[in-house]
Amino acid sequence: MNSHSMDERFASAGILVGRIMLALYFLVPGILKFVSWDMHVALMERHHMVLIPLLLASAGVSQIVAGICLMLNRYTSVVASLLAMMVLLINVTLHDFWHFEGLEAAHEMQNFIKNLGIFAGLLVLAGHSHLKHLGNKGLR
C-alpha cells in the first residue's frame, strides 16, 4: 500500500464522516423543531421574528430534507450551499448578540461564532462535492 492510496483513503473517510456529522447536525434539530414546537416559537418570539409558524415549519422541513440528502450523498453541493445560506440567515436573526447584554449576549455570540464554523464546513463540502462532480479528485 503506497502513501498516495493511504492519503486518499484518509481524505475520503474524513469527508464521509464530516458529511454525516453535518447531516445529523441539521436532521436532528429539524425533527426537534416539530417535537418542541412551542419552545421554538417562544425562542423566535424572543428575537422579534415575524411569520413564525411559516418560518419554523419551513426551517424544520428544509433541515430534515437537507439532512437526508447529505446522509445519502445526493445533491450534496446544492444542499450544502443552501444550508450555508440558511445558517447565515439564522445567525443574523436568531443569534443577534448585539441586541443583548451580559450572559445572554455572550451565549448568542458563542452561537454566532460556532455557526460561522458550520458555515465554513458547508462551503468546503459544497466546493469539494462540486469539484468531484466535475471530475476532479478533490481539493488541491
Side-chain angles (χ1 to χ4, degrees):
M1 178 181 304
N2 63 35
S3 66
H4 184 67
S5 174
M6 193 71 152
D7 289 346
E8 285 181 7
R9 282 201 260 202
F10 182 74
S12 292
I15 291 166
L16 172 66
V17 170
R19 182 174 48 77
I20 298 300
M21 295 302 292
L22 282 169
L24 290 171
Y25 180 82
F26 289 98
L27 179 62
V28 172
I31 293 167
L32 290 176
K33 282 178 176 50
F34 296 103
V35 172
S36 304
W37 182 267
D38 291 338
M39 180 191 75
H40 285 90
V41 166
L43 173 68
M44 293 171 81
E45 287 173 344
R46 171 107 175 91
H47 291 269
H48 309 291
M49 296 190 70
V50 297
L51 302 171
I52 292 172
L54 176 65
L55 290 174
L56 184 55
S58 297
V61 169
S62 297
Q63 288 179 309
I64 292 167
V65 170
I68 291 168
C69 285
L70 290 180
M71 283 271 190
L72 299 174
N73 202 21
R74 306 298 289 168
Y75 312 106
T76 303
S77 182
V78 172
V79 169
S81 298
L82 291 172
L83 285 172
M85 287 189 288
M86 184 178 178
V87 166
L88 284 181
L89 287 172
I90 288 170
N91 244 12
V92 173
T93 57
L94 284 179
H95 300 304
D96 52 343
F97 61 89
W98 50 92
H99 287 135
F100 296 95
E101 293 181 7
L103 188 57
E104 194 168 11
H107 178 73
E108 293 302 339
M109 180 184 260
Q110 180 181 16
N111 283 329
F112 188 93
I113 299 297
K114 173 205 52 137
N115 277 358
L116 292 179
I118 300 297
F119 173 75
L122 288 165
L123 291 180
V124 169
L125 181 60
H128 172 77
S129 297
H130 186 69
L131 285 175
K132 188 174 177 184
H133 179 74
L134 292 175
N136 287 325
K137 286 204 165 210
L139 302 176
R140 299 185 195 266

